[in-house]
Amino acid sequence: MLSLPIGRLVAACSRRAILVLLLFAVLVGGALAVSMRRLDVTTDTSTMFSAKLPWKTRSDTLARLFPQQQDQLVAVIDADLPEEAQETARALAAQLRQDGAHFLSVNVPQQNPYLVDHGLLFLDPKNLQTVLDSTVTAQPFLGGLAADPSGRGLFDALSLIALGVAQGQADLKGFRPALEAFAATLEQAAGGQAQPLSWERMLSGSLADLGGQYVFVVTQPRLDYGSFQPGGAATEAMQRAIAGLEFVRSGHARVHLTGDVQINDEEFATVAQGMVAGLVGSLLLVTLWLFLAVRTWRIIVPIVITLVSGLMLTTGFAALAVGTLNLISVAFAILFVGIAVDFAIQFSVRFRAQRLPDGSVPPVQSALEQTGVETGHQILVAAMATMAGFLAFTPTAFVGVAQLGLIAGFGMVIAFLCTVTLLPALLRLFRPAPTHRATGFAFARPMDRALRARRVPVLSVFVFLAVLGAALSPMLSFDADPLHTKNPHSEGMLTLKLLMRDPQSSPYDAQVLVGSLAQAQALAARLSRLPLVDDAMWLGSLVPEDQTAKLAMIQDAASILLPTLVVPNPAPAPDAAALRRSAAKAAHALGGVLDKLPADDPLRRIQAALARLAQAPDGQIMAADRALVRFLPGQLDLLRRMLLAQKVGIGDIPPSIRQDYLLPDGRALVSVHPRAGMDSDAALRRYVAQIRSVAPDAGGNAIDIVESATTMVHAFVFAALSAIVMIAAILLVALRRLLDMALVLAPLLLSALMTVVVVVLLPEQLNFANIIALPLLLGVGVSFNIYFVMNWRAGVRSPLSSPTARAVLFSALTTGTAFGSLAASHHPGTASMGRLLLLSLACTLLATLVFVPALLPKRVIDER
């Protein structure tokens, strides 16, 4: 048996306490030095899965071939006027392009010259005809503005409108919305509150919003994956630039940040939010449980030192074995502390319970030696079984948990060694006396007897729960979408939800790489016909359709408009006096036709405002001039450019757009966007299934989400089955009886099935974050059950009133307190992890403290 060698080791370490302490000081110092030098943490989520997985290979290939589509930080601009949004985007992009220290690339997709110059060709024929008709009708008005793009020219044009009304030749019904907007702006200017006028809406009406409500500035920031917020520096630089923008300062434009960089950075910030307060509260409660468990600081301090030392040594092992931790493997500290504290509490409580044959309290050294004999082999078996449970995850393709399993698995060996070497040495130095009082739960003796007397109905209830758990297991669902584990109230997520209404900006896109443009065209046509696909874009999608007919319409309008829009020498800017004269003239002209206007005609409001402006001081009327025509020259220039549109083909698409769809070797990309409603796991899976029915080799975000979930589920199923087999083998070797092995495994499986019942009935959704609770359930469950079964083998008669039950309860409370701090997190994923850990721990504790005592077979000594 191992009990005697472990007992001798405990005795030797306690006798040479100073030497052991010095040895551990050197080891911990070395581990700390190695950790500081070699251990790193990456927040790059692409390292979570094995690169050998087919879907991951495709994903990595797409990322390598189209790097401009990865790691984006996007400014989403919403403004009162379309021109204000566009001007804000131009100004922001100009500033960011000068900041090479933080940004690799900056792009404003909606302002690409190719898309702007051929904007009319992308309209459908009906909308195009509407735009051209209204523009041609306004030709006299626009011609005057082109010759004099100022408030003076505008007021003079209004005089022409008055003339048309007087002659009965002005049909203004189609321009009423524009005139209403102009009247409102003019009234503000006359009141001394001049606001810019949207000429895009004046000329295009509701069609001005066809391009979408938002303007995007898409950037690729320089990322520091050694930081928990890799894009933090770039985000701060962008926010500084945004704060200085004119329309942002005035409140006319609003800029929101999103993109995978922003969302991931916010996630890490949310995880950290409240962490200090939660950690302090958790430590206070843990200290309380330790005090209630062992009742003296002379034991609490050695336990804490042992835990910290073991954690430092495990961290050093991680530095040597892994080097770079990922966002899942960093959780090894939680697993280590959660289980190592159980080892330390078990040893310490059993130490305090030692008695000599006459019932007196033994000396500290004798108590430590006897505790090593009684408890050391139990802790060893628990550590080895828990290690097996963790190591079962290492062969899986889920690299994040594979790393976690490797570190936590060997951490269990370190925890055991610290418990039987460092802890006895510290206890010898702190010299706590074994207590005269019973260290078990005396009040639990009636419960022991009741469970033994009613073991059949008690076991029947648990059998029912196990069957129910097995029946409900198919109802377990895994939420594959990592967006659902993020803070829905963060800026990045709120902005993303707004953008998800537009399929083009949906995060659930998919990509297919094919050999040529011809194949891309054929595939896009097939994909576009799928029920859940909104569109399938390829390079040819950026070539307007029906160009011949549309160009004929545009050229007809251009023959009328361009001669008056192209003015070599526009009139110079007017002064205040000229503006007042022009305003007075227009007010007089409109005043002469008021009797011909309906009572609610906006021209009446315009006439009144002009009359007031004609009396305004210089500063006010000059401000009105700037506001009224600020965006006019740009709009006139845009109109001239679009009227000069020519027929284009794929060869005319500029490299800045071409690179998103075509590689130098001729391979082409098809980008697929879903219809609305992809925010549920079932809908996302149907969408992906439809795409893969046509394109089995598709990649992209939607594919990655579904495939990564499948990989994770397979990894956990494989690891769970492997862990059970390995744990069973270890228990069989250690306990040497099939019955005893079954007595340990049965409550472990029961606690898992009870957890299923609770998760399904609450319900609590399994996701990327909380699935980490499953390996911990194996580790804690095995430890608790082994102690009870091995005590039963040793002849303990009343398990619930024994020191082991006390140690198990307070170990569970200590571990549960740490999990509770996670459940209170502001981060939804972390909070769900904490909740599931608490639920699984509660089920494990119930199985250990109720099911196991009822399950243990009766012995002759139990009848005494």
Side-chain angles (χ1 to χ4, degrees), residues 791-844:
N791 283 346
W792 171 78
R793 283 164 54 99
V796 175
R797 295 177 55 187
S798 301
L800 292 182
S801 59
S802 68
T804 298
R806 181 186 186 88
V808 164
L809 177 61
F810 283 104
S811 174
L813 289 173
T814 304
T815 305
T817 297
F819 299 161
S821 66
L822 296 177
S825 170
H826 296 277
H827 181 256
T830 303
S832 69
M833 181 198 304
R835 289 194 302 270
L836 189 57
L837 287 168
L838 283 173
L839 292 174
S840 62
L841 181 63
C843 292
T844 299

Side-chain angles (χ1 to χ4, degrees), residues 309-575:
S309 300
L311 182 58
M312 291 297 100
L313 292 174
T314 304
T315 304
F317 169 78
L320 295 173
V322 174
T324 300
L325 301 174
N326 56 51
L327 290 176
I328 290 182
S329 58
V330 293
F332 79 88
I334 297 175
L335 299 185
F336 178 87
V337 173
I339 298 177
V341 73
D342 170 65
F343 297 168
I345 291 177
Q346 285 290 339
F347 189 95
S348 300
V349 170
R350 299 284 283 275
F351 161 73
R352 300 215 76 191
Q354 293 302 319
R355 297 287 185 277
L356 294 174
D358 61 1
S360 61
V361 175
V364 170
Q365 181 62 37
S366 299
L368 287 171
E369 293 177 9
Q370 187 59 32
T371 302
V373 173
E374 290 182 2
T375 311
H377 66 295
Q378 296 182 1
I379 297 176
L380 175 62
V381 174
M384 296 303 295
T386 306
M387 178 185 181
F390 286 139
L391 291 181
F393 289 87
T394 56
T396 67
F398 187 12
V399 175
V401 173
Q403 281 188 1
L404 177 66
L406 176 67
I407 299 169
F410 280 94
M412 293 302 95
V413 176
I414 294 173
F416 165 74
L417 292 175
C418 289
T419 302
V420 297
T421 57
L422 179 59
L423 182 58
L426 289 168
L427 290 173
R428 176 64 185 272
L429 293 175
F430 279 79
R431 304 191 65 81
T435 181
H436 289 276
R437 294 172 295 179
T439 56
F441 295 127
F443 66 85
R445 286 179 185 145
M447 297 172 61
D448 274 315
R449 291 192 294 269
L451 284 175
R452 304 301 294 172
R454 297 176 177 81
R455 62 194 308 261
V456 173
V458 170
L459 293 177
S460 299
V461 170
F462 282 107
V463 169
F464 168 77
L465 291 175
V467 173
L468 179 62
L472 292 178
S473 294
M475 297 178 62
L476 279 177
S477 60
F478 185 85
D479 187 353
D481 194 344
L483 293 179
H484 293 168
T485 66
K486 303 182 189 299
N487 182 2
H489 305 296
S490 67
E491 180 183 12
M493 285 300 298
L494 288 173
T495 306
L496 183 62
K497 287 181 180 178
L498 293 175
L499 300 181
M500 285 170 64
R501 300 170 186 170
D502 182 358
Q504 293 295 320
S505 52
S506 170
Y508 304 113
D509 59 338
Q511 286 87 37
V512 188
L513 190 62
V514 295
S516 66
L517 285 175
Q519 293 177 355
Q521 181 179 15
L523 180 61
R526 295 176 61 197
L527 288 169
S528 297
R529 291 192 290 268
L530 295 174
L532 294 178
V533 171
D534 183 79
D535 64 62
M537 299 282 293
W538 65 293
L539 187 62
S541 302
L542 298 172
V543 178
E545 298 178 348
D546 303 322
Q547 291 189 54
T548 301
K550 292 178 182 178
L551 283 171
M553 297 164 60
I554 293 171
Q555 288 165 2
D556 285 345
S559 65
I560 300 172
L561 293 168
L562 285 179
T564 56
L565 290 179
V566 178
V567 180
N569 298 302
D575 57 17

Side-chain angles (χ1 to χ4, degrees), residues 32 110 135 236 537 764:
L32 186 60
Q110 290 123 308
T135 307
E236 290 178 2
M537 299 282 293
E764 180 69 44

Side-chain angles (χ1 to χ4, degrees), residues 137-364:
T137 303
Q139 183 267 339
F141 185 75
L142 294 175
L145 293 175
D148 186 1
S150 68
R152 177 182 56 201
L154 176 59
F155 299 154
D156 291 345
L158 290 171
S159 298
L160 292 177
I161 292 177
L163 179 61
V165 172
Q167 296 176 353
Q169 298 176 354
D171 182 7
L172 302 177
K173 292 181 180 179
F175 294 94
R176 186 179 180 94
L179 290 173
E180 292 278 5
F182 180 70
T185 303
L186 204 60
E187 286 171 341
Q188 289 176 319
Q193 301 293 328
Q195 300 294 332
L197 177 65
S198 173
W199 284 95
E200 182 175 337
R201 288 178 179 167
M202 286 281 290
L203 298 177
S204 303
S206 61
L207 296 179
D209 297 324
L210 285 179
Q213 179 182 354
Y214 306 103
V215 180
F216 305 102
V217 178
V218 181
T219 73
Q220 273 195 308
R222 295 186 184 274
L223 302 179
D224 176 14
Y225 284 117
S227 167
F228 280 106
Q229 291 182 286
T235 300
E236 290 178 2
M238 182 179 285
Q239 288 171 336
R240 287 193 299 269
I242 290 170
L245 298 175
E246 175 189 355
F247 293 115
V248 173
R249 294 200 313 270
S250 67
H252 288 224
R254 295 151 295 279
V255 184
H256 311 283
L257 302 185
T258 189
D260 47 353
V261 170
Q262 174 72 9
I263 291 173
N264 289 337
D265 282 359
E266 286 176 341
E267 181 175 18
F268 308 140
T270 305
V271 170
Q273 185 179 4
M275 182 177 292
V276 174
L279 181 60
V280 171
S282 177
L283 289 175
L284 291 175
L285 282 173
V286 166
T287 303
L288 173 63
W289 300 136
L290 288 175
F291 176 77
L292 293 176
V294 296
R295 302 290 180 89
T296 173
W297 67 270
R298 293 179 182 273
I299 295 181
I300 293 175
V301 173
I303 289 177
V304 172
I305 294 175
T306 302
L307 285 177
V308 172
S309 300
L311 182 58
M312 291 297 100
L313 292 174
T314 304
T315 304
F317 169 78
L320 295 173
V322 174
T324 300
L325 301 174
N326 56 51
L327 290 176
I328 290 182
S329 58
V330 293
F332 79 88
I334 297 175
L335 299 185
F336 178 87
V337 173
I339 298 177
V341 73
D342 170 65
F343 297 168
I345 291 177
Q346 285 290 339
F347 189 95
S348 300
V349 170
R350 299 284 283 275
F351 161 73
R352 300 215 76 191
Q354 293 302 319
R355 297 287 185 277
L356 294 174
D358 61 1
S360 61
V361 175
V364 170

